[in-house]
Structures are given as structure tokens and as C-alpha cells.
Amino acid sequence: MTAHDLDILIVGAGPVGLYGVYYAGVRGLKVGVIDSLSEVGGQVSALYPEKQIFDIAGYPQVKGRDLVTALATQAAQADPVYLLGQEAQELVEHDVADGDGARRFTVTTSAGDVVHCGAIVLTAGIGTFTPRKLPAGEEYLGRGLEYFVPDPLPYAGSDVVVVGGGDSALDWALMLEEHARSVTVVHRRKVFRAHAATVAQVEASTVRMITDAEVVSLEGGDRLAKAHVKSKGTDDEEVVPCGNVVAALGFLANIGPLREWGIELRDNRHIVVDSAMRTTRPGIFAGGDITEYEGKVRLIAVGFGEVATAVNNAAVHLDPDAQLFPGHSTDEQPAPQPATA
């Protein structure tokens, strides 16, 4: 067991959490960040590190991996404590010994570490996530069937079938087109859920699109060799040669122990916040995809602004005499002093 004494704990080391770490440093706060994954970057690192992201301010396009690297470099200025490969579990709130009315939190992790802090910012995205399984051919998992494409190079020269109709499915299809011998998208509906611009891009590519159909079985020996695709409402079945199937059917999200932390949730998976990014429990703030409020837009760019708001309000929670607005980064300011908690 290791004990950590911090001003602020950030739960979630995705892009929004990393930007929150940087902002905690701007406020002179001693900050730690915890994440159940073994590396920083959240979903970006786990699901699409090679994907180009087009909606980050200042970047016409940026690879997911490069965005995470830049954010981690920026966050390093705060000299954060990283607790990776651990889950935030038990939360206990208690009075500060000097009796001035302030409250502190103690968070125990799945690894047995203990974090003492004055404020918490939740940037856990969708929480832990597991892929929805492809009903047909699960026995080929690791032998041609995959649920993630962290690196397109292993697919070079292969015939690939991508199953799904969302953004991840079409993004991966476009990414793999550059490396694979052929790419076929199979979607169970006629209409795709992905952004219209992405659909148009796929339609203009060499990617073959089979709609209103499902992969009903996979076939092969030691390795996958064929996918059986059946059109809905008919007995027609097509055998598509393939060395790889990428099932992009979405994910099951779980915010886990955060449900027991005494904060208001919506749909049992989103945290209700106000305009200051305060949750319904004093001292706990949130930002990014995990938050919910009227007009919420789930974009990384929006999350950056939310977590800056959350951290600045957390700084005032720690020290009521502190200024909410930290000033502009271009202003000449004295070095920030650590907040008292």
C-alpha cells in the first residue's frame, strides 16, 4: 500500500483528464491522476491511436497517438502523480484536523493505494468499456477476429471485413484501406450511424459496402479464412474471403464504483453537473463525456473547456480566497503557489 497526499485527484487519464492535470499545475495544485488502463490517453490510446482526429482546435488533423503525446507533455509541467492500471473504488469523506470546517477525501484504489485529497475531478469518459461481441465466430478471437485496430500494419495485404455502421467501423475501414488488399464493410441496416461526411468518404473509396446484412458465421482452420454474410429477409448468403474480421459493434460502458459515491447520475452512467462543473456532492467536480447537463455536446474540444472550469472551481473550493479566473497564459504572473487544503 502506498499513501499519496494531494490537493486534487483526477479520475480518468484520457485527453480531458490530461488537460485537467495541466490546469491543476497552472493553479499550483499538487495533482494525481488515476486510470484503470495501464497507459494514458483513455479511449484514444486504446481504440484509435492511429486514427486522424479532425475536430481539435488548432489541428486541421492529428493522429490520436500524437494528440495524447502532446497532452501528456503539457501535463508533465504539473509533475503529476500517475496511478495507472488502478481503479478508484472506496470514497470516504472526513473533517480536517484543524477544525476549520474544511473536508477532505480519502480514495482507496483497486491496488490498495490510498489517496488523500481536498477535491476530486471526474474525467472518466464512458468509464471502463468492453466491446459488444460478434454473435458469430467468437472462437476466432485472436486468430483473425478482433475488436480493436490499434495498429493497421498487421493488416497489410489482408482481405478485411469490418462489421458495423458507426464512426469507429467506417474510420477503421478508411484507415485499413491504405494497408489491406481489400476492405468490406458489413452493416445490418441500410443507413449508417456514422457522420455523413465519413459515409461519403467511404462511398468514394475502394471499400465495398454490404448493407442490410449480417455476418452469420466465420470459417477457417488455424486462422480465419471466410465470412458468411446473409442479406436480411432472404436466404441469400455470400461467402466473403477474409483473413481478418474487425467487429465494431460498440461498447458496454460501466462507471463502476463511482455509482456508490453519492453523486447524482442520469441514465445510471452520466454525472449531473452545474455550470461550474460541480456535481451534487461538494468538493467533487466533473468534465468530459461523463458529464450531463442541458445542451451537452460530447466532443473532446468541449471536454477541454469543462475540465478547465472544473479545476478552477476546485481551486476555489480548496481555498475560498483564491481567484476563480487564473489569468491568461500570456500574462506575466508570479509562479503559482500550492493551494492550502
Side-chain angles (χ1 to χ4, degrees):
M1 184 188 77
T2 304
H4 307 274
D5 193 16
L6 307 171
D7 292 314
I8 186 169
L9 174 66
I10 293 179
V11 180
V16 171
L18 291 174
Y19 191 62
V21 170
Y22 159 73
Y23 236 95
V26 169
R27 297 307 303 249
L29 301 174
K30 187 175 181 182
V31 59
V33 59
I34 184 170
D35 199 290
S36 60
L37 298 177
S38 59
E39 61 178 344
V40 300
Q43 292 182 69
V44 175
S45 292
L47 304 183
Y48 48 90
E50 296 298 317
K51 173 186 167 184
Q52 295 287 352
I53 304 174
F54 298 95
D55 56 3
I56 302 297
Y59 289 95
Q61 63 182 55
V62 58
K63 272 189 180 181
R65 188 188 307 279
D66 295 336
L67 175 63
V68 170
T69 297
L71 286 164
T73 300
Q74 186 179 38
Q77 299 173 73
D79 193 23
V81 174
Y82 281 110
L83 301 170
L84 301 179
Q86 303 184 50
E87 184 180 63
Q89 293 186 330
E90 183 181 7
L91 173 70
V92 176
E93 188 174 358
H94 49 85
D95 291 322
V96 176
D98 62 15
D100 65 355
R103 305 279 286 174
R104 296 274 287 176
F105 296 105
T106 296
V107 176
T108 305
T109 78
S110 56
D113 282 13
V114 175
V115 179
H116 304 289
C117 58
I120 298 172
V121 176
L122 304 174
T123 57
I126 62 172
T128 58
F129 48 92
T130 54
R132 295 183 185 275
K133 303 299 183 182
L134 181 70
E138 181 70 12
E139 66 272 19
Y140 285 100
L141 184 63
R143 297 188 295 129
L145 172 63
E146 302 294 342
Y147 292 103
F148 307 104
V149 187
D151 184 357
L153 293 181
Y155 296 82
S158 178
D159 296 305
V160 182
V161 171
V162 178
V163 185
D167 288 308
S168 292
L170 298 195
D171 286 338
W172 281 337
L174 289 170
M175 182 175 72
L176 291 171
E177 182 195 19
E178 300 178 20
H179 303 273
R181 179 164 54 193
S182 69
V183 178
T184 301
V185 171
V186 179
H187 182 39
R188 63 192 178 96
R189 294 191 176 95
K190 293 181 179 179
V191 178
F192 288 90
R193 302 188 312 276
H195 290 301
T198 306
V199 175
Q201 203 175 350
V202 174
E203 289 174 340
S205 72
T206 63
V207 173
R208 182 188 177 200
M209 303 171 81
I210 303 175
T211 59
D212 213 23
E214 294 181 297
V215 173
V216 293
S217 64
L218 301 180
E219 180 184 345
D222 293 337
R223 287 281 306 178
L224 177 64
K226 301 174 183 176
H228 293 254
V229 180
K230 186 175 181 180
S231 298
K232 283 187 178 181
T234 74
D235 293 325
D236 296 340
E237 186 174 296
E238 179 182 353
V239 178
V240 181
C242 61
N244 297 91
V245 167
V246 178
L249 303 174
F251 299 91
L252 298 171
N254 184 4
I255 65 171
L258 298 184
R259 288 194 178 92
E260 311 302 321
W261 281 21
I263 50 184
E264 183 182 350
L265 301 177
R266 189 164 298 169
D267 301 325
N268 208 31
R269 61 193 182 98
H270 293 127
I271 297 171
V272 176
V273 295
D274 63 13
S275 60
M277 297 295 116
R278 291 180 291 237
T279 71
T280 51
R281 185 164 184 176
I284 301 181
F285 303 78
D289 284 355
I290 201 168
T291 62
E292 182 62 44
Y293 52 84
E294 185 178 356
K296 169 70 180 182
V297 176
R298 288 184 168 81
L299 292 173
I300 293 175
V302 173
F304 288 157
E306 291 174 350
V307 77
T309 298
V311 169
N312 281 304
N313 280 279
V316 175
H317 173 81
L318 291 167
D319 179 5
D321 293 328
Q323 294 290 326
L324 175 61
F325 178 53
H328 297 107
S329 61
T330 51
D331 295 340
E332 291 187 10
Q333 300 181 32
Q337 299 300 311
T340 57

